[in-house]
């Protein structure tokens, strides 16, 4: 939910009608080109001023398996997943019966009428769509017919629910920005299907889409694009990456936007480089090399890639090399559910590396925050001279969300403690690569190419002293590792602090992170109506700020809500605050789908009853 | 000779190219290679601050601390120096990149990164100090160990070896050479040629491990190397700043190869009519050598015209790590346009 998205806009309607408050799932086969149609519907409703969210539930497959796209409309601004469907658009014979059973009583089913299967339900409104006939009647090239079938449901659904065709047209023009003629031919099919529906279908259901004031200051975007743009505005200079769902579109977006945004205006030359590596072992090696060389370096991957990157991340921690690593989480263990979402990499990333390794982890919850953390991550990495992991997930990264417009960074790029020739010349104290001059645990670094006689040093993953010299001495090891720990402790209050949504008088705390935020806020409202008042704290970084302890202490019981089996955030909290364990209750869940408010409400109220 | 005996053209002495004292076993082939790296850089008048060193893990990979302390360096992970060097190279593409690896580091754990480095043709000198064993982990067979080799605790190696030069050549390397640590003159000449090449220069240097693999009859021993070495040609390296061919260069048929920076490698053919720009012949020659158990040394293949990685990147002239921060952040107007396109 977006808090300031107007619940006051919620339109009081007669009980029998459902306006701008329902979920519609479109069931298709992947590879059929339905994505364009689905996003068109989503965008059109957004342009009508209605808070919408779209979730694509897709298989790990290129063509021929079932795919679902769920659009939720909510005047009140609830964007989390709901587990039921009000409306089903059925284009896929393979899942015909199963999907239809998901529809609630009083719901609606649109279906392609060439699917010759019975609908054994008399508690729903059914609209057949003569998809094939309409396409046949239109003059559409043979190779485009399958694809255009999708535009038929766009037209029929729009007509029956009251989605203005001018908004569909606008959405299509936006989708086919470069090819207005394609937008035009798509729209012709939409129009034809809408006309057919007007003449042949009688409205019997209770669902309506109604226009609202435009959603000023908001837009529709996905987290991976936002992350890439954030990196571009954060001055990224090098990205080494290897394709993996759901992270691929992050690096690919870099490849689309960076050449436009990051050319030197005078020479037309790039001040960045992107290299598709041979695997994640190399992708992270490249990023470590680049970060060490003094350019803003990054990589993006998902769980399996993180596993392969472990050893270099351990080296980067100990050799104190800045870089930014995005983990767009999918579902593990192993290959797991590669196209489903989860929050199962928290433990892995926080402790990524062998021995006494610990990493800085920041966790965005919205598309807007993906942009913000996208640029800030580089400043943190440079400031603390260590990798920063940004923990996103498939739901946030790949789905389109309604989000606030991106804000231009409010502070200049900060490269941290770097010494060039003239800085070294002026440097008053002794300089050693790992010498803590300022007492904050953060030493100064020189970069290759620095011609000052004192500048060069040798970097190694083996034991080293304050000057980078090889050492196995116990006291040296202890000293260096303690200093790195000091640096990490100093990061606690500088990384993004938790954010809160408090309800007056609450004794119960909710703790969550990342993309489950909308479901948690919605659950909070439902619980409130049930008489269970809660405060919500969303943690945004590890290691934790002092504020986290304060919040836990201020509440009798704190439910830690997360999308994984074992309650990993709960585990870390319990480890960090062992004196507060009796105040921490784990509520975690994982089936590959985004968390729902319903699940939170049910499992929390059950616990509260005990 | 024009210059002083004890300083080079940029006024540095050999001492300016030194490193820490070596902690490798006395007599280890890796030490003699370190010395030749030092000499080659000194004689080519390359300032240490223009060189950046990388290595993986192994005795061989330790050696970059034993030369050029005045250069930046990074001792990375086992088998994964190529990716590290590649990323760092982008920070300042004007630097000379020098990598040292071992046969375990390159031909086992690092074979993938090695091949991909070559494929991208990152300008760097890639030295494999090849001793046929894992030195640092005390004498296990490496993938370059010859079939039938018997080692004290390992028994007999049943597998055919990986030939690093052949792997490089098949992987379309733009520069492939082999040498022998016991032939310092040739090592130095090849190093100089490699340092002038704009692309990945693979130097497979047989470097005997005196502790674990130095039996007289094995491919990676000093004794065997000295007896079976079959140099392709005498090599003279001519840096650009000198216009005349060195005195020591002997009469005979010659073939000149002009490298990217304008310098010239001159090869003297021996009994065979060998053309190092002919890949087909190079492959045939390596195959033949393997059958005859010859240790072919010299410049096996070079293609100075092959595009290097940077050629695809359209990079700004100044080193990326010196681009001012202001230039790295696009304008607020551009962001506004993006917001509009998504709204
Ligand atoms: C990931 C990983 N696995 C294993 C090792 C242990 N190890 C260190 S050096 C080495 C072999 C080195 O052999 P080579 O590259 O031939 O170098 P040499 O010591 O012979 O010069 C191994 C297996 C390691 N450091 N890292
Ligand atoms: S063990 Fe072998 S390779 Fe290692 S330093 Fe000794 S001689 Fe050299
Ligand atoms: Mg070896």
């Amino acid at each position: 939910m977006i808090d300031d998205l107007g619940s006051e806009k919620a339109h009081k309607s007669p009980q029998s009608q459902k306006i701008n408050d329902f979920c519609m799932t479109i069931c298709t086969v992947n590879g059929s080109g339905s994505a364009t149609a689905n996003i068109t519907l989503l965008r059109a409703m957004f342009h009508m001023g209605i808070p919408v969210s779209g979730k694509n539930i897709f298989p790990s497959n290129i063509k021929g398996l079932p795919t679902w796209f769920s659009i939720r409309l909510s005047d009140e601004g609830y964007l989390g997943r709901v587990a039921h469907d009000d409306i089903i658009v059925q284009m896929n014979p393979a899942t015909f019966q199963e999907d239809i059973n998901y529809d609630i009583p009083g719901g609606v089913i649109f279906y392609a009428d060439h699917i010759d299967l019975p609908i054994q339900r008399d508690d729903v409104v059914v609209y057949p769509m003569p998809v094939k006939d309409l396409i046949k009647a239109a003059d559409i090239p043979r190779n485009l017919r399958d694809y255009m079938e999708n535009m038929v449901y766009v037209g029929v659904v729009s007509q029956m629910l009251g989605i203005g065709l001018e908004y569909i047209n606008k959405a299509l023009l936006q989708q086919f920005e470069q090819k207005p003629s394609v937008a035009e031919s798509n729209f012709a099919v939409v129009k034809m299907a809408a006309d057919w529906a007007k003449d042949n279908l009688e409205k019997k259901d209770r669902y309506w889409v109604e226009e609202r004031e435009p959603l000023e200051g908001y837009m529709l975007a996905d987290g991976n694009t936002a992350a890439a743009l954030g990196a571009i505005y954060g001055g990224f200079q090098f990205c080494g990456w290897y394709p993996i769902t759901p992270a691929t579109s992050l690096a690919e977006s870099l490849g689309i936007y960076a050449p436009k945004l990051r050319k030197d205006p005078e020479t037309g030359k790039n001040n960045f480089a992107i290299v598709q590596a041979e695997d994640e072992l190399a992708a992270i090696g490249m990023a470590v090399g680049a970060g060490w060389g003094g350019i803003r370096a990054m990589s993006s991957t998902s769980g399996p890639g993180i596993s392969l990157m472990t050893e270099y991340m351990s080296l980067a921690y100990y050799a104190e090399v800045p870089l930014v690593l995005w983990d767009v989480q999918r579902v593990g263990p192993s290959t797991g559910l590669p196209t489903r979402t989860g929050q199962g990499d928290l433990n892995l990333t926080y402790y990524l590396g062998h021995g006494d390794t610990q990493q800085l982890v920041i966790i965005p919850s919205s598309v807007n925050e993906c942009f913000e953390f996208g640029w800030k991550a580089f400043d943190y990495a440079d400031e603390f001279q260590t990798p920063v992991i940004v923990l996103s997930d498939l739901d946030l990264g790949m789905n389109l969300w309604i989000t606030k417009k991106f804000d231009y960074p409010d502070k200049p790029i900060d490269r941290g403690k770097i010494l060039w020739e003239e800085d070294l010349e002026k440097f008053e104290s002794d300089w050693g690569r790992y010498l803590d001059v300022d007492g904050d645990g953060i030493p100064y670094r020189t970069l290759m190419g620095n011609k000052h006689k004192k500048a060069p040093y040798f970097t190694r993953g083996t034991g080293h002293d304050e000057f980078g010299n090889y050492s196995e001495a116990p006291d040296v090891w202890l000293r260096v590792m303690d200093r790195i720990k000091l640096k990490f402790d100093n990061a606690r209050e500088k990384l993004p602090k938790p954010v809160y949504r408090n309800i007056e008088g609450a004794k119960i705390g909710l703790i969550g992170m990342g993309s489950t935020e909308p479901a948690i806020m919605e659950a909070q409202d439902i619980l409130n109506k049930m008489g269970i008042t809660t405060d919500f704290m969303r943690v945004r970084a590890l290691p934790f700020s002092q504020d986290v302890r304060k919040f836990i202490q201020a509440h009798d019981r704190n439910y830690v809500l997360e999308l994984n089996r074992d309650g990993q955030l709960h585990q870390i909290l319990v480890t960090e605050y062992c004196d507060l364990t009796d105040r921490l209750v784990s509520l975690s869940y994982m089936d590959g789908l985004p968390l729902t408010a319903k699940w939170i409400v049910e499992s929390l109220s059950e616990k509260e009853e005990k | 000779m024009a210059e002083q005996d004890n300083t080079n053209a940029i006024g540095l002495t050999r001492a300016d190219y030194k490193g820490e004292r070596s902690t490798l076993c006395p007599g280890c082939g890796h030490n003699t290679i370190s010395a030749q790296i030092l000499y080659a850089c000194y004689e080519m008048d390359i300032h240490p601050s223009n060189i950046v060193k990388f290595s993986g893990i192994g005795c061989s990979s330790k050696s970059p601390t034993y030369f050029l302390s005045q250069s930046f360096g990074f001792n990375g992970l086992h088998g994964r120096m190529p990716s590290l060097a590649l990323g760092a190279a982008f920070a300042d593409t004007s630097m000379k990149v020098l990598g040292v690896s071992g046969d375990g580091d390159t031909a086992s754990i690092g074979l993938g990164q090695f091949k991909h480095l070559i494929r991208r043709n990152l300008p760097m000198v890639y030295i494999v100090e090849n001793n046929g064993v894992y030195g640092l982990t005390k004498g296990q067979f490496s993938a370059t160990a010859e079939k039938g080799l018997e080692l004290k605790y390992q028994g007999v190696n049943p597998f055919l070896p990986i030939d690093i030069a052949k792997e490089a050549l098949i992987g379309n390397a733009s520069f492939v050479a082999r040498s022998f640590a016991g032939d310092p003159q040739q090592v130095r000449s090849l190093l100089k040629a490699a340092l002038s090449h704009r692309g990945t220069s693979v130097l497979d240097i047989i470097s005997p491990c005196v502790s674990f693999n130095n039996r007289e009859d094995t491919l990676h021993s000093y004794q065997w190397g000295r007896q079976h070495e079959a140099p392709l040609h005498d090599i003279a390296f001519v840096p650009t700043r000198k216009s005349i061919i060195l005195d020591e260069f002997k009469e005979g048929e010659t073939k000149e190869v002009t490298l990217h920076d304008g310098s010239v490698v001159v090869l003297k053919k021996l009994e065979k009519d060998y053309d190092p720009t002919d890949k087909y012949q190079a492959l045939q020659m390596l195959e033949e050598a393997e059958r005859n158990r010859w240790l072919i040394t010299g410049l096996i293949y070079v293609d100075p015209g092959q595009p290097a990685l940077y050629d695809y990147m359209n990079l700004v002239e100044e080193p990326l790590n010196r681009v001012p921060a202001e230039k790295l952040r696009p304008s607020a107007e551009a962001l506004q346009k993006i917001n509009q396109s998504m709204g």
Side-chain angles (χ1 to χ4, degrees):
Chain A
M1 164 175 176
I2 299 180
D3 241 0
D4 52 348
L5 265 183
S7 37
E8 84 278 0
K9 280 188 215 149
H11 189 95
K12 290 280 165 275
S13 59
Q15 200 51 29
S16 58
Q17 289 199 1
K18 277 250 183 197
I19 299 171
N20 295 353
D21 181 23
F22 57 87
C23 178
M24 171 167 74
T25 293
I26 299 151
C27 317
T28 55
V29 171
N30 77 326
S32 67
S34 59
T36 312
N38 300 338
I39 290 168
T40 300
L41 279 169
L42 186 78
R43 274 197 196 285
M45 292 189 260
F46 166 74
H47 289 315
M48 288 175 77
I50 305 154
V52 277
S53 70
K55 294 199 191 300
N56 189 15
I57 312 290
F58 61 105
S60 177
N61 175 270
I62 302 301
K63 209 171 168 72
L65 288 184
T67 300
W68 299 268
F69 190 81
S70 293
I71 299 177
R72 181 179 182 189
L73 293 78
S74 164
D75 267 339
E76 287 168 304
Y78 294 127
L79 304 178
R81 186 174 78 88
V82 285
H84 67 270
D85 292 309
D86 298 274
I87 299 174
I88 281 178
V89 180
Q90 185 50 285
M91 300 287 285
N92 183 7
T95 58
F96 197 81
Q97 301 296 357
E98 218 180 313
D99 293 341
I100 277 171
N101 290 338
Y102 267 98
D103 206 18
I104 59 162
V108 184
I109 291 164
F110 293 90
Y111 77 103
D113 72 356
H114 59 270
I115 304 176
D116 194 16
L117 290 165
I119 297 178
Q120 282 147 341
R121 288 194 56 175
D122 50 15
D123 57 345
V124 293
V125 177
V126 177
Y127 299 119
M129 301 181 291
V131 172
K132 296 260 184 225
D133 296 344
L134 285 173
I135 291 294
K136 228 177 274 162
D139 185 21
I140 292 165
R142 195 166 282 278
N143 61 336
L144 285 178
R145 284 189 189 168
D146 284 357
Y147 164 77
M148 282 299 186
E149 287 183 5
N150 300 306
M151 289 299 148
V152 171
Y153 69 72
V154 172
V156 174
V157 166
S158 297
Q159 175 62 32
M160 299 312 286
L161 298 181
I163 301 170
L165 290 194
E166 65 276 27
Y167 294 109
I168 296 286
N169 197 25
K170 184 175 175 189
L172 281 169
L173 285 168
Q174 203 175 353
Q175 295 259 77
F176 298 104
E177 208 188 334
Q178 314 296 340
K179 298 174 257 171
S181 65
V182 179
E184 206 173 295
S185 54
N186 278 274
F187 187 68
V189 177
V190 173
K191 179 83 172 63
M192 173 190 67
D195 288 346
W196 173 87
K198 189 151 90 189
D199 297 341
N200 295 283
L201 295 178
E202 188 193 333
K203 173 96 179 169
K204 281 184 262 169
D205 66 272
R206 58 193 174 122
Y207 296 97
W208 290 102
V209 180
E210 228 173 56
E211 197 172 342
R212 298 281 181 257
E213 291 295 305
L215 290 161
E216 285 304 341
Y218 287 88
M219 55 189 194
L220 277 182
D222 64 82
N224 283 351
T225 304
L229 286 166
I232 289 169
Y233 275 81
F236 103 96
Q237 292 175 286
F238 184 88
C239 178
W241 70 289
Y242 188 73
I244 184 168
T245 305
T248 301
S249 61
L250 201 165
E252 286 181 346
S253 297
L254 274 183
I256 291 167
Y257 285 103
K260 293 183 192 148
L261 294 164
R262 288 282 299 281
K263 273 197 194 327
D264 189 287
E266 279 141 48
T267 60
K269 303 230 170 197
N270 298 335
N271 58 29
F272 66 90
I274 301 169
V275 177
Q276 185 186 320
E278 57 269 35
D279 53 32
E280 289 88 348
L281 301 169
I284 194 68
M286 290 174 189
V288 172
W292 174 82
I295 53 181
R296 291 202 142 177
M298 68 181 287
S299 185
S300 54
T301 187
S302 192
I306 295 283
S307 300
L308 288 184
M309 293 179 173
T310 308
E311 196 184 358
Y312 252 126
M313 286 295 281
S314 181
L315 171 61
Y317 170 84
Y318 180 56
E320 301 181 60
V321 179
L323 66 99
V324 173
L325 173 59
W326 278 80
D327 176 4
V328 186
Q329 297 168 97
R330 58 192 230 181
V331 180
S334 188
T335 308
L337 302 173
T339 59
R340 300 297 155 89
T341 198
Q343 299 179 320
D345 291 350
L346 187 72
N347 270 329
L348 175 69
T349 48
Y350 188 35
Y351 304 116
L352 191 64
H354 52 283
D356 282 321
T357 311
Q358 210 191 359
Q359 309 285 357
L360 301 183
V361 181
I362 56 178
I363 313 163
S365 79
S366 66
V367 171
N368 186 282
E369 226 170 29
C370 286
F371 177 81
E372 182 191 333
F373 288 6
W375 63 266
K376 282 188 175 164
F378 287 101
D379 288 345
Y380 298 134
D382 270 342
E383 177 175 1
F384 297 106
Q385 299 180 8
T386 196
V388 171
I389 298 171
V390 194
L391 209 51
S392 177
D393 62 47
L394 181 142
D395 190 17
L396 182 55
M398 289 185 72
N399 284 322
L400 279 176
W401 296 74
I402 185 166
T403 193
K404 285 206 172 116
K405 299 206 154 160
F406 301 143
D407 294 318
Y408 195 69
D410 56 7
K411 47 181 180 230
I413 285 175
D414 180 4
R415 295 300 322 264
K417 298 185 191 177
I418 293 176
L419 302 173
W420 281 107
E421 288 86 347
E422 59 282 9
D423 309 313
L424 258 183
E425 201 50 48
K426 282 183 271 173
F427 206 66
E428 299 205 328
S429 53
D430 252 6
W431 177 77
R433 170 63 186 95
Y434 299 110
L435 194 64
D436 184 5
V437 178
D438 302 330
D440 59 359
I442 306 167
Y444 287 80
R445 60 185 190 128
T446 55
L447 304 177
M448 68 180 230
N450 187 326
K451 304 278 185 276
H452 196 283
K453 205 154 171 68
K454 281 202 275 183
Y457 70 97
F458 196 80
T459 305
R460 43 163 62 87
T462 43
H464 48 255
D465 66 15
E466 283 76 358
F467 297 87
N469 297 317
Y470 181 72
S471 171
E472 295 177 4
D475 57 327
V476 171
W477 181 265
L478 202 69
R479 225 165 46 220
V480 171
M481 289 301 284
D482 279 351
R483 178 185 55 74
I484 297 178
K485 191 166 165 44
L486 170 70
K487 183 172 91 166
F488 265 65
D489 280 335
N490 287 340
R492 288 175 187 274
E493 304 305 324
K494 293 206 173 166
L495 297 176
K497 294 270 178 83
V499 290
Y500 307 91
R501 185 170 182 258
N502 291 344
I503 299 180
E504 189 66 38
K507 297 232 159 52
I508 295 171
L510 305 180
I511 303 176
M513 60 179 167
S515 71
T516 52
E517 180 184 46
I520 296 176
M521 286 184 173
E522 185 178 356
Q524 216 184 355
D525 289 351
I526 301 169
L527 287 165
N528 197 24
K529 284 183 194 140
M530 293 164 62
I532 304 174
T533 47
T534 58
D535 290 336
F536 170 38
M537 172 178 68
R538 177 165 66 84
V539 296
R540 302 197 296 168
L542 287 142
F544 300 127
S545 137
Q546 292 282 343
D547 300 356
V548 174
R549 166 182 280 282
K550 286 184 203 144
F551 181 89
I552 298 169
Q553 275 172 329
H555 297 89
D556 301 342
R557 284 180 302 293
N558 295 274
Y559 291 97
V560 187
L561 302 159
E562 52 193 312
L563 197 56
N564 53 57
R565 185 190 67 183
D566 296 336
Q568 298 183 10
L569 179 59
H570 177 260
Q571 287 171 10
I572 295 171
L573 286 164
V574 162
T575 309
E576 191 103 351
Y577 307 116
C578 46
D579 54 323
L580 301 175
T581 51
D582 54 347
R583 289 168 186 262
L584 290 161
V585 185
S586 177
L587 276 186
S588 65
Y589 179 83
M590 162 50 70
D591 64 0
L593 298 172
L595 211 61
T596 61
K598 184 167 180 274
W599 177 83
I600 298 171
V601 169
E602 284 172 4
S603 34
L604 194 146
S605 46
E606 190 186 317
K607 290 250 179 195
E608 280 297 297
E609 273 161 30
K610 278 182 192 157
Chain B
M1 280 200 184
E3 64 254 281
Q4 293 280 300
D5 242 13
N6 52 358
T7 61
N8 62 11
I10 53 171
L12 298 181
T13 65
R14 279 185 188 172
D16 294 318
Y17 292 80
K18 276 203 170 135
E20 311 286 316
R21 222 176 54 109
S22 171
T23 59
L24 301 179
C25 307
C28 174
H30 303 348
N31 282 332
T32 58
I33 298 169
S34 295
Q36 295 316 312
I37 294 173
L38 185 160
Y39 289 138
C41 293
Y42 167 78
E43 287 172 11
M44 284 182 76
D45 310 316
I46 306 173
H47 200 282
S49 67
N50 293 332
I51 299 173
V52 57
K53 308 171 288 182
F54 295 95
S55 61
I57 297 286
C59 296
S60 36
S61 293
K62 279 173 150 191
S63 67
T65 35
Y66 312 141
F67 55 83
L68 297 170
S69 336
Q70 283 302 306
S71 301
F72 278 80
F74 197 152
N75 175 206
L77 292 184
H78 197 23
R80 281 155 286 173
M81 172 260 279
S83 58
L84 187 75
L86 185 144
F90 275 95
D92 183 348
T93 58
S94 72
M95 302 284 282
K96 291 249 178 245
V97 182
L98 195 81
V100 178
S101 176
D103 44 319
D105 201 64
T106 290
S108 289
I109 189 167
L111 194 56
Q113 295 212 349
F114 172 64
K115 299 282 276 200
H116 285 274
L117 174 78
I118 288 168
R119 175 170 167 262
R120 297 191 180 100
N121 205 24
L122 174 77
M124 80 175 283
V125 179
Y126 188 97
I127 299 162
V128 186
E129 301 183 344
N130 185 352
N131 54 17
V133 286
Y134 289 3
L136 197 59
T137 49
K138 299 191 190 270
Q140 299 81 9
F141 292 122
S142 90
T144 65
E146 64 195 295
K147 183 178 159 95
L149 173 69
E150 192 173 351
L151 292 178
K152 203 168 168 191
Y153 300 109
Q154 302 295 311
V156 179
N157 171 34
F159 304 114
L160 285 168
I162 285 175
D163 181 329
I164 287 169
K166 221 199 266 176
E167 288 300 331
L169 203 56
I170 291 166
N172 297 313
S174 58
F175 185 114
V176 184
R178 176 176 286 150
S179 191
F180 171 54
D183 185 354
Q185 285 305 325
Q186 192 196 39
V187 170
R188 196 185 306 185
S189 301
L190 286 171
L191 271 168
K192 289 180 179 179
L195 280 162
S196 289
H197 177 65
R198 188 169 179 274
T200 307
S201 312
V202 177
L203 264 167
D204 176 24
I205 307 178
I206 307 302
S207 176
C209 169
V210 292
S211 297
F212 300 109
N213 186 10
N214 199 31
R215 290 172 42 163
E216 282 184 26
D217 56 341
T218 73
L219 204 69
H220 297 88
S221 70
Y222 277 118
Q223 293 86 340
W224 195 89
R226 290 227 173 78
Q227 283 155 24
H228 293 78
E229 194 190 2
L232 281 176
H233 24 235
D234 287 347
I235 299 171
F237 177 76
V238 190
T240 30
R241 68 182 168 81
K242 288 182 190 159
S243 53
I244 40 155
I245 287 172
L246 300 177
D247 292 340
E248 307 88 80
F249 197 68
K250 294 190 190 77
E251 296 278 288
E253 222 182 328
T254 57
K255 165 114 192 144
E256 292 189 359
V257 182
T258 308
L259 296 169
H260 189 270
D261 63 359
S263 55
V264 181
V265 190
V266 185
L267 307 153
K268 177 166 177 277
K269 285 178 194 152
L270 292 179
E271 55 280 350
K272 273 189 266 163
D273 183 23
Y274 189 74
D275 174 3
T277 62
D278 179 345
K279 187 184 279 179
Y280 183 70
Q281 203 190 337
L283 277 166
Q284 208 175 17
M285 190 267 308
L286 282 180
E287 191 60 37
E288 197 183 322
E290 190 178 300
R291 283 178 204 178
N292 295 321
R293 285 193 96 214
W294 287 336
L295 181 62
I296 290 291
T297 64
L299 181 56
I300 294 165
Y301 180 71
V302 63
D303 173 7
Q306 194 172 311
L309 177 60
Y310 307 139
D311 297 342
Y312 307 105
M313 296 291 176
N314 187 35
L315 292 173
V316 292
E317 286 293 318
E318 64 185 321
L320 281 184
N321 68 4
R322 290 188 191 252
V323 174
E326 313 81 74
K327 284 197 173 183
L328 300 178
R329 175 166 286 167
S331 69
E333 293 72 55
L335 187 62
Q336 222 167 14
K337 277 203 191 121
I338 291 165
N339 280 338
Q340 260 156 24
S341 75
M342 294 176 172

